[in-house]
Amino acid sequence: MRFFVLLFLAAFSLQLQAFQFEHLNGVVHDSNDNFYLSSHNGVYRYDGRHFLPLSKAAGLPRGLVRDIKLQHKTLFSLYSNGDVWITNLTSLESKKIASVEATKLALTNSSLFTLGRYDVKRIDIESGVVSTIYSSSSRVLDIDAFANLAYLMTTEGVFLIQDGVIKTVEALSIDNGNLAATPHGVVYFVNNRMSYYSTLQQQLISNMEIDNADNIVFAAPYFIYFTDNESVNEVTLTDLNITRTGINTKKKNYSKLHVDGKNRVWGLGLNTFEPIEVGLKSSELSLGSKYNVLEGVAGELWIGTTKGIFQKTGRNSVEPLAWLNSQISAQAFEVTAFQLFNRGLAIGTDMGTYFVDLASKKITKVHDDYVLNFSVIDNTLHIATNGYGVVEVSSNLELIVDKKLRQLLPSLEVLDINHSGNYIYASTKQGLLVVDTQDWTRSLFEDGVVVTDSYVTEEDAICSDLWKRRLV
């Protein structure tokens, strides 16, 4: 039987290069209206027409960037391994300044703050000295900054960080929430209410009618924008009264909102970056699929999103799988892949691979690296990762130490893995690797070209509109 493999190549068009910009999680802009987008594959600059990978232009590493911040002509990048890099956008020179365990950055005029699970560290911009300014058994939820002030949210309340001193804004028990710094205070959502604390007046106001608010951002002169599920809403800062709801023409779950230098509001999704309101002279920048992943699980439809896992409960309704999300992470996490495996479900996330036993609802963390895709070969789970190549897991959820395939890979960034008979097909950053597992001989096709996906089919099943190549 003759087989063909269908290759999906990253050619020279934006659409086919889309995967390079998938898994977006951060955006900043400079005074020249350039956007900088952080992704699973490093940081890219977008000038409205072209993308420039800073890994090539400025020597930044590739790999998952969790957050970015910009101050004048200096870009700060936080990688998933904890490395913090600084890039001079004028000279396009980059260097590592610190290594910490963190998931988010906040930037004041003189300090860069990193948000860990139970601590906050301060990096002095001038000297590069790293110090711990907050450490507790209480979980840290969020951090943001404006000018010289930073604001911190933990499970014990909301706090102000000023001149290295932490002051209490409001002490209360918090399970989940988020905040945004403003020129004169902080807006935050906790416990089914939105509040604003003015550092100038030292007064706190609240709106108890706002019972859901994510991705809070400030827009001059006095507006606050936030998401409520698929709706983007607007309130005035002075009184927190809702002025507009549903201002986005496309109903969509955004992972972040961004306000540019002209006070235009943008929405960041897993693979899209687009203007929110009609009238902006910019079109949607489509960078991939419109949703993360879907999977039928025990007769239910599970949906992987940038904020965890949801279950379809009605024709037009979904609800978060709270029992599952809480076991994976107390904070929002991004779901990148699903795979039914061994009477359970393998879940790929930006924090690693998890396995849920559907009978007991027990969660087991299997691996730490960012997951791009799954495949099951001979009752073994193969994980295509962002930086470790292909990771193999047995049916007992044990990591299999097998360096054969890893040593054959042309790149450790594996975007997809397939198999047919004795052959394994690995789509990588540097071509399509075909391995005969009988003798472990390799063939490399499209050497140096990004291959995003492959599908093996019999000759009479080939779709004529897809580019194909006979490999075996």
Side-chain angles (χ1 to χ4, degrees):
M1 184 71 67
R2 290 183 297 169
F3 283 88
F4 290 85
V5 62
L6 306 183
L7 305 182
F8 299 85
L9 304 180
F12 297 100
S13 68
L14 173 61
Q15 181 180 1
L16 292 182
Q17 283 186 332
F19 87 94
Q20 296 190 44
F21 312 102
E22 286 185 355
H23 313 300
L24 300 175
N25 50 41
V27 57
V28 294
H29 68 275
D30 63 20
S31 57
N32 295 319
D33 292 329
N34 295 313
F35 290 102
Y36 297 84
L37 301 164
S38 60
S39 74
H40 86 278
N41 195 38
V43 180
Y44 291 81
R45 188 186 75 184
Y46 178 63
D47 63 5
R49 296 181 60 190
H50 306 104
F51 281 99
L52 176 68
L54 295 190
S55 58
K56 292 183 178 180
L60 271 179
R62 296 183 184 276
L64 172 62
V65 179
R66 292 196 178 277
D67 199 11
I68 51 177
K69 294 296 178 185
L70 181 67
Q71 185 180 85
H72 305 304
K73 294 294 183 179
T74 302
L75 181 73
F76 299 89
S77 304
L78 171 65
Y79 284 78
S80 60
N81 63 1
D83 289 348
V84 180
W85 284 70
I86 185 171
T87 303
N88 185 316
L89 296 178
T90 301
S91 64
L92 291 180
E93 296 176 335
S94 301
K95 65 177 181 179
K96 187 175 79 169
I97 60 171
S99 185
V100 297
E101 291 187 8
T103 57
K104 188 176 181 180
L105 299 175
L107 183 62
T108 64
N109 292 337
S110 60
S111 300
L112 182 70
F113 296 93
T114 65
L115 180 76
R117 186 172 178 81
Y118 295 103
D119 64 14
V120 174
K121 288 183 169 55
R122 174 184 176 271
I123 304 174
D124 186 274
I125 294 176
E126 291 295 328
S127 65
V129 174
V130 180
S131 58
T132 301
I133 65 166
Y134 177 86
S135 180
S136 173
S137 58
S138 302
R139 188 163 45 86
V140 182
L141 301 175
D142 202 4
I143 192 170
D144 198 18
F146 197 105
N148 287 317
L149 302 180
Y151 299 90
L152 174 66
M153 178 183 290
T154 77
T155 55
E156 294 183 339
V158 179
F159 304 90
L160 165 68
I161 304 174
Q162 184 176 19
D163 299 326
V165 179
I166 298 179
K167 305 176 182 178
T168 301
V169 171
E170 183 180 11
L172 74 166
S173 178
I174 303 173
D175 293 327
N176 197 11
N178 65 115
L179 55 77
T182 74
H184 306 298
V186 59
V187 176
Y188 54 93
F189 179 81
V190 295
N191 302 347
N192 298 319
R193 64 171 166 90
M194 179 176 284
S195 299
Y196 170 58
Y197 175 77
S198 169
T199 54
L200 288 179
Q201 301 175 351
Q202 296 187 355
Q203 291 182 347
L204 180 70
I205 62 173
S206 298
N207 184 336
M208 308 300 292
E209 296 180 357
I210 300 176
D211 57 6
N212 185 34
D214 290 317
N215 308 309
I216 303 172
V217 293
F218 166 78
Y222 46 75
F223 289 108
I224 294 295
Y225 295 90
F226 65 93
T227 59
D228 179 1
N229 294 317
E230 294 185 334
S231 178
V232 179
N233 302 336
E234 176 191 86
V235 301
T236 50
L237 180 61
T238 52
D239 53 16
L240 296 186
N241 285 335
I242 298 177
T243 50
R244 292 187 297 166
T245 60
I247 65 175
N248 51 320
T249 55
K250 295 181 180 180
K251 299 302 179 184
K252 186 179 296 186
N253 280 307
Y254 294 108
S255 58
K256 282 188 178 180
L257 297 181
H258 176 74
V259 178
D260 65 16
K262 298 178 180 178
N263 288 319
R264 299 176 301 186
V265 184
W266 297 72
L268 187 74
L270 177 68
N271 304 304
T272 56
F273 180 55
E274 61 190 16
I276 295 296
E277 294 191 76
V278 175
L280 290 185
K281 295 181 180 179
S282 300
S283 58
E284 172 183 341
L285 176 61
S286 181
L287 306 175
S289 60
K290 295 181 179 179
Y291 53 85
N292 289 24
V293 287
L294 304 172
E295 185 65 70
V297 181
E300 302 172 345
L301 181 63
W302 287 14
I303 306 168
T305 76
T306 56
K307 296 181 179 178
I309 302 169
F310 288 70
Q311 173 189 347
K312 186 174 177 59
T313 56
R315 183 173 181 180
N316 297 308
S317 61
V318 295
E319 293 182 358
L321 284 171
W323 66 268
L324 179 57
N325 294 331
S326 62
Q327 292 187 72
I328 294 177
S329 175
Q331 299 177 337
F333 59 92
E334 175 186 320
V335 181
T336 59
F338 283 144
Q339 176 66 58
L340 293 172
F341 173 66
N342 194 32
R343 299 186 301 278
L345 182 71
I347 303 170
T349 76
D350 59 344
M351 303 183 301
T353 301
Y354 297 81
F355 178 82
V356 53
D357 185 305
L358 297 177
S360 65
K361 294 187 176 182
K362 178 185 177 182
I363 303 294
T364 303
K365 187 167 187 179
V366 177
H367 195 260
D368 289 329
D369 198 33
Y370 191 107
V371 177
L372 293 174
N373 219 326
F374 289 129
S375 182
V376 176
I377 304 174
D378 297 330
N379 203 30
T380 299
L381 180 68
H382 287 64
I383 310 171
T385 72
N386 189 59
Y388 282 86
V390 178
V391 177
E392 299 178 37
V393 180
S394 72
S395 58
N396 295 324
L397 302 185
E398 296 177 349
L399 292 178
I400 300 175
V401 181
D402 186 353
K403 298 181 180 179
K404 291 181 181 179
L405 182 59
R406 181 184 174 92
Q407 291 174 343
L408 296 175
L409 289 168
S411 168
L412 292 181
E413 184 175 341
V414 180
L415 294 125
D416 187 49
I417 188 165
N418 260 310
H419 73 102
S420 177
N422 298 321
Y423 292 93
I424 292 177
Y425 303 86
S427 303
T428 79
K429 182 76 173 179
Q430 296 295 327
L432 176 72
L433 175 71
V434 182
V435 177
D436 186 340
T437 57
Q438 287 187 319
D439 55 11
W440 289 96
T441 56
R442 75 190 287 269
S443 299
L444 183 63
F445 297 86
E446 309 304 327
D447 188 10
V449 176
V450 178
V451 179
T452 64
D453 201 359
S454 65
Y455 179 71
V456 182
T457 181
E458 296 183 27
E459 181 179 3
D460 59 2
I462 292 176
C463 299
S464 60
D465 59 332
L466 292 178
W467 192 87
K468 63 181 183 291
R469 179 164 183 168
R470 184 184 301 171
L471 299 181
V472 294

